[in-house]
Amino acid sequence: MTETGVRAHDDLRAAVERCGYYPELVLDSLSVALAGETVSSFMVHHEATFDRDELRRHLTVLVLTPSRLVVGHTDDHPPDEVSASPHATTSTESVRIGRIGSVVVSRVVDDPAQHAVSGLPREVVLTLGWGAISRIDLEPAACGDPDCEADHGYTGASTIDDFSVRVSQAADGLEGVSQALEFARAVSAATAKH
């Protein structure tokens, strides 16, 4: 690994450990998926949600290497009928950079007339598509005539939406929003080369 690659890998480890959410489990899972490949860029997103009366946590880690995007996701679960103790599931998906077909960055900006180029948005939604999951939304087509009873078939949209993550200043701080934008920039640059 290059010095930059070692530093990025160490920074990734530190970011996962800082979350404090099963860091050894998450890092072990990522290690298998990375298979020794250099870390070019990464994003760590820790999210807490409420499921009835329980607090549930999720950790998503996106890692860009010179050849792949690795998506890691870890969830915790309370005891259930299968397991008498709390447990966690962790999964990784590796996608060749050349398969990534879209990088969508949506921003929510306060007071847009005063926005500066270096200013951070209040919220960022990063959506990456590589064709593994697609959705078709159909609805009956109609014409402009309110008295028309003809069958105009269907109209709809096909959407590729493999992965989406929302980061906000309120939940993730300025650093989280900045990290999401830097990661989006790195993925966009990587896909432009392929």
Side-chain angles (χ1 to χ4, degrees), residues 135-142 152-159:
R135 180 180 73 235
I136 298 177
D137 296 319
L138 294 175
E139 61 185 41
H152 295 286
Y154 288 87
T155 186
S158 175
T159 307

Side-chain angles (χ1 to χ4, degrees), residues 66-184:
S67 65
R68 296 176 298 141
L69 168 71
V70 175
V71 179
H73 188 79
T74 304
D75 291 302
D76 60 5
H77 305 280
D80 57 22
E81 58 276 350
V82 176
S83 176
S85 62
H87 55 283
T89 56
T90 186
S91 62
T92 57
E93 180 176 4
S94 298
V95 180
R96 285 187 331 274
I97 290 174
R99 288 205 47 216
I100 299 172
S102 64
V103 179
V104 180
V105 181
S106 301
R107 303 167 183 233
V108 177
V109 178
D110 291 327
D111 199 6
Q114 303 302 316
H115 181 72
V117 173
S118 61
L120 288 176
R122 173 173 32 122
E123 178 179 310
V124 172
V125 178
L126 172 61
T127 303
L128 303 172
W130 53 87
I133 299 172
S134 36
R135 180 180 73 235
I136 298 177
D137 296 319
L138 294 175
E139 61 185 41
C143 67
D145 181 359
D147 297 322
C148 180
E149 295 182 13
D151 182 354
H152 295 286
Y154 288 87
T155 186
S158 175
T159 307
I160 295 174
D161 189 14
D162 294 315
F163 178 80
S164 196
V165 64
R166 177 185 169 270
V167 180
S168 69
Q169 287 186 22
D172 307 291
L174 292 172
E175 183 180 333
V177 172
S178 180
Q179 182 186 48
L181 289 173
E182 284 302 315
F183 186 78

